[in-house]
Amino acid sequence: MKFTKTSIPGVIVCEPSVFGDERGYFAETFRKDKFEEFIGRKIDFCQDNESKSGFGVLRGLHYQLPPFAQSKLVRVIEGKVLDVVVDIRKGSPTFSKYESIELSGENKKMLYIPRGFAHGFVVLSDYAIFSYKVDNYYSQEHERGLLYNDPALGIDWQLPIEKLQLSQKDKVQPTLDQIELFNFSSDLYA
Ligand SMILES: Cc1cn([C@H]2C[C@H](O)[C@@H](COP(=O)(O)OP(=O)(O)O[C@H]3O[C@H](C)C(=O)[C@H](O)[C@H]3O)O2)c(=O)[nH]c1=O
C-alpha cells in the first residue's frame, strides 16, 4: 500500500499493490496496521457503504456533525469519479480549500478523508460503483450538507452544469457562510 500526502494535511491518497496473473488480480484494499502507522492515529471503521450512480450524478457535499462526525476511506470499484473534499474546520490553515482526485476501478486509488471535511463526488463514466468505510455510524439527525457550487469554494466538477444530476436535497444545500463549522482546534477524535 502506497500512501501519498495531498495539498491538505491529513487528506491522503492510498494505492494498493495489485497482483495480476492469468486469472485476474488480487489487492489488499485495507490494512489497519499500515494505515494507522501512516496516519499516526488509531482508526476503527465501523460501517461500509456502497452506492451506484449513473454518468453526471453528483452526490454531496455531505458530512455529519459531532458526535457522529465521520472520517472516510473511499474508493471506486467500477467506473470513474471525481472525488472532492472541502476543509470546513474553522481555524484550519486550509479552511474552505478543496482537494479533488480521480478515483476509478482502473487506478484503484483510495482517498482518506479525516473528520471535519465535506465530501462528494461526480460520476465521469457511464456509471460508478462507489464503496467506502466510515468510522462513525450514520446519524440522520447529524447529517449536514454544503452547496456543491458555492462560489466561495470554486470547485471545478469537470462537467458542465447541465450534465449534472443531483438529489433535490443537494440542489439546495447551504453555502459555506451558512453552515455549522467544525473547530480545527478541538479533538474530533476524542
Ligand atoms: C449515507 C447513508 C444513507 N442512508 C440512507 C438514507 C437515504 O434513505 C438513502 C440515501 O441517502 P443519501 O441520499 O444521503 O445518499 P448519498 O447522497 O450517497 O450520501 C452520501 O453521499 C456522500 C458521497 C457522502 O460522503 C456521505 O457518505 C453520504 O451522505 O440511504 C443510510 O441508511 N445510511 C447511510 O450511511
Side-chain angles (χ1 to χ4, degrees):
M1 179 74 74
K2 178 181 152 196
F3 298 97
T4 309
K5 294 179 179 178
T6 65
S7 64
I8 300 181
V11 177
I12 295 158
V13 179
C14 316
E15 295 177 79
S17 302
V18 181
F19 302 96
D21 63 26
E22 64 285 354
R23 298 168 298 169
Y25 72 83
F26 174 89
E28 288 183 357
T29 52
F30 176 68
R31 274 280 298 255
K32 183 176 169 67
D33 54 354
K34 292 180 179 174
F35 197 78
E36 287 180 343
E37 184 185 356
F38 189 84
I39 67 171
R41 174 188 315 122
K42 300 294 284 176
I43 191 85
D44 287 312
F45 291 120
C46 58
Q47 180 178 312
D48 278 3
N49 297 331
E50 178 178 308
S51 64
K52 179 177 181 180
S53 312
F55 173 72
V57 167
L58 192 160
R59 293 178 185 256
L61 296 153
H62 301 157
Y63 61 99
Q64 292 191 167
L65 289 176
F68 287 90
Q70 296 171 318
S71 72
K72 301 170 183 172
L73 179 60
V74 304
R75 70 188 184 111
V76 170
I77 294 179
E78 277 185 50
K80 180 165 70 174
V81 309
L82 182 74
D83 203 70
V84 175
V85 297
V86 181
D87 186 349
I88 55 173
R89 301 167 300 175
K90 191 169 49 187
S92 163
T94 51
F95 173 71
S96 81
K97 297 290 177 263
Y98 79 93
E99 179 66 66
S100 61
I101 180 173
E102 281 192 5
L103 305 176
S104 69
E106 198 64 34
N107 70 21
K108 300 215 177 308
K109 287 184 180 179
M110 299 184 280
L111 193 65
Y112 174 69
I113 308 156
R115 295 176 180 180
F117 286 76
H119 172 248
F121 65 86
V122 64
V123 177
L124 302 175
S125 49
D126 288 346
Y127 71 92
I129 296 178
F130 194 81
S131 174
Y132 53 114
K133 296 177 175 302
V134 293
D135 70 344
N136 225 336
Y137 293 113
Y138 173 63
S139 169
Q140 190 174 15
E141 299 71 48
H142 294 83
E143 205 180 21
R144 297 294 186 277
L146 173 59
L147 189 64
Y148 75 104
N149 64 348
D150 180 351
L153 306 176
I155 298 171
D156 176 5
W157 290 100
Q158 291 187 8
L159 293 181
I161 195 160
E162 60 269 14
K163 297 279 189 192
L164 299 179
Q165 184 185 336
L166 291 91
S167 64
Q168 286 310 316
K169 170 182 81 171
D170 287 344
K171 287 176 181 170
V172 294
Q173 296 285 11
T175 51
L176 187 66
D177 59 347
Q178 296 170 326
I179 66 170
E180 192 176 340
L181 300 171
F182 290 83
N183 286 311
F184 183 63
S185 54
S186 69
D187 181 359
L188 286 169
Y189 292 87

